[in-house]
């Protein structure tokens, strides 16, 4: 019994000594440790405050730049598209505000805004391909031909482009029976909606990219369908531009897909169209298209610059 009590007291003494050592150690280390923590906390707080100030300054600068660009729009873009007409094509999920702002600048640049076509999700739905192809066969004008190996989307693009744009002065500004039938057919089948008079064939076109990248198993097919339409419009008019935001240059974004495609060299792209300066660049790009030159403009990967260099001459036509 004495041996058991002896061992029990010994064990308790060991734990008491260990506990006392931890307390003394913590007491000895507390002041330096707390000092270090306070120093780091103060440093992080200052860095956070500096970042907030930098963000506020950048936001203020951006707001000022936007106001500056908008105030100078009439001087900057005036007459650059004089005598031309422009139609807008909005991809499914496009930012309608971008179209509205650029449309104002189109008119400031001396061009006629004919109207807009807004594509519905049905247009890029793979399960609607048979319906789309049947429609194309029923409304196809006799003067529209298809390349060998053309896909249903390629054929639909060629037919739709023939109703929206032209590179012939004699056909610009008027809608004929075949064009009216094409647009009516696409509308009746739920593939698109229209505003204004997009059938009054324009000489230039602006396609507005979706606000967010496409996702899911059908994303690749949807992007290819829209690139095919942009290509067909470019082949039919005097110049085509695709405009959007930096999000459209991310993986799955339509602008990025177009820039990586085989037709990237003939269609200009702008990834800053959500800003006033980017909208001005969109007008510059259209004017550049009239000279037979295309480019990739903005801040995304693979761009040639923020804007065309040198700037296109006011009112220059080819």
């Amino acid at each position: 019994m004495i041996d058991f009590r002896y061992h029990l007291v010994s064990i308790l003494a060991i734990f008491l000594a260990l506990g006392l050592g931890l307390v003394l150690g913590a007491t000895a280390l507390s002041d330096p440790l707390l000092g270090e923590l306070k120093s780091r906390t103060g440093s992080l707080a200052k860095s956070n405050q500096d970042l907030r100030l930098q963000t506020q300054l950048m936001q203020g600068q951006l707001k000022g730049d936007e106001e500056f660009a908008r105030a100078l729009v009439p001087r900057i873009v005036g007459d650059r598209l004089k005598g031309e007409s422009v139609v807008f094509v909005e991809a499914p999920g496009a930012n309608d505000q971008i179209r509205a702002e650029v449309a104002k600048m189109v008119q400031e640049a001396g061009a006629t805004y004919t109207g807009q076509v807004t594509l519905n999700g049905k247009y890029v739905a793979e399960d609607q391909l048979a319906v789309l192809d049947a429609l194309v066969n029923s409304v196809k004008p006799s003067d529209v031909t298809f390349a060998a190996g053309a896909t249903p989307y390629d054929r639909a693009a060629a037919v739709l482009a023939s109703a929206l744009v032209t590179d012939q002065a004699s056909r610009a500004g008027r809608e004929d029976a075949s064009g009216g039938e094409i647009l009516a057919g696409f509308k009746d089948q739920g593939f698109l909606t229209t505003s204004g008079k997009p059938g009054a064939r324009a000489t230039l076109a602006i396609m507005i990219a979706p606000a967010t990248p496409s996702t899911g198993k059908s994303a690749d097919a949807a992007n290819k369908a829209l690139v095919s339409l942009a290509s067909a419009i470019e082949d039919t008019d005097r110049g085509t531009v695709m405009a959007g935001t930096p999000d459209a240059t991310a993986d799955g974004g339509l602008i990025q897909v177009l820039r990586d495609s085989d037709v990237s060299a003939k269609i200009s792209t702008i990834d800053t169209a959500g800003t006033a300066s980017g909208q001005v660049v969109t007008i510059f790009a259209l004017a550049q298209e009239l000279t037979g030159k295309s480019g990739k403009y903005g801040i995304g990967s693979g761009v040639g610059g923020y804007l065309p260099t040198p700037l296109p001459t006011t009112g220059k036509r080819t």
Side-chain angles (χ1 to χ4, degrees):
M1 189 62 140
I2 294 175
D3 291 340
F4 173 74
R5 289 179 178 176
Y6 173 79
H7 287 299
L8 180 59
V9 171
S10 297
I11 292 172
L12 289 174
I14 292 172
F15 278 105
L16 285 171
L18 181 60
L20 182 60
L22 290 174
V23 171
L24 291 173
T27 302
L29 291 174
S30 62
D31 289 342
L33 181 59
L34 287 175
E36 177 67 18
L37 289 174
K38 288 180 180 178
S39 176
R40 292 191 178 185
T41 301
S43 178
L44 288 172
K46 186 178 184 306
S47 296
N48 191 36
Q49 182 179 10
D50 290 343
L51 288 173
R52 281 199 301 268
L53 289 174
Q54 290 177 21
T55 300
Q56 291 174 359
L57 289 173
M58 291 178 65
Q59 290 174 340
Q61 181 67 52
L62 179 60
K63 182 180 179 181
D65 289 345
E66 289 287 287
E67 293 177 356
F68 182 80
R70 292 192 187 283
L72 293 181
V73 163
R75 293 177 179 272
I76 296 173
V77 305
D79 290 338
R80 289 186 182 274
L81 301 179
K82 186 176 181 180
E84 303 294 336
S85 52
V86 181
V87 66
F88 284 76
V89 177
E90 291 187 353
N95 184 337
D96 190 62
Q97 187 62 32
I98 291 177
R99 190 271 312 159
E101 294 296 335
V102 179
K104 294 177 185 176
M105 293 197 185
V106 161
Q107 296 171 82
E108 291 278 4
T112 299
Y113 166 52
T114 62
Q116 73 180 79
V117 166
T118 301
L119 300 174
N120 296 328
K122 185 177 181 179
Y123 183 87
V124 296
E126 290 184 283
D127 60 358
Q128 296 297 314
L129 267 179
V131 178
L132 181 65
D133 209 29
L135 170 63
V136 167
N137 290 331
S138 68
V139 299
K140 171 187 171 299
S142 59
D143 60 345
V144 173
T145 59
F146 302 137
T151 68
Y153 283 129
D154 293 335
R155 293 193 289 272
V159 169
L160 193 52
S162 73
L164 297 175
V165 294
T166 182
D167 60 358
Q168 301 174 28
S170 61
R171 301 187 70 188
R174 64 183 182 85
E175 179 181 296
D176 56 24
S178 65
E181 183 182 358
I182 290 168
L183 290 178
F186 275 79
K187 286 175 64 178
D188 292 344
Q189 291 291 332
F191 289 111
L192 54 79
T193 59
T194 63
S195 177
K197 297 181 178 179
R201 291 181 175 85
T203 55
L204 299 169
I206 298 175
M207 178 177 280
I208 309 297
T212 57
S214 299
T215 58
K217 62 181 181 180
S218 61
D220 184 58
N223 280 328
K224 287 181 178 179
L226 296 172
V227 168
S228 179
L229 179 56
S231 178
I233 291 174
E234 167 62 25
D235 289 341
T236 311
D237 66 8
R238 300 191 67 211
T240 301
V241 166
M242 182 178 289
T245 65
D247 287 339
T249 67
D251 290 341
L254 182 58
I255 289 180
Q256 189 59 48
V257 172
L258 175 57
R259 286 174 174 173
D260 291 339
S261 72
D262 294 337
V263 299
S264 64
K266 66 178 184 178
I267 302 172
S268 291
T269 54
I270 296 94
D271 59 40
T272 54
T275 67
S277 61
Q279 291 154 15
V280 170
V281 173
T282 303
I283 301 301
F284 288 161
L286 276 181
Q288 192 85 319
E289 286 283 327
L290 291 171
T291 71
K293 298 178 182 178
S294 301
K296 304 172 184 178
Y297 310 115
I299 58 177
S301 61
V303 299
Y306 192 83
L307 73 171
T309 304
L311 292 179
T313 303
T314 302
K316 185 174 181 178
R317 297 173 65 98
T318 60

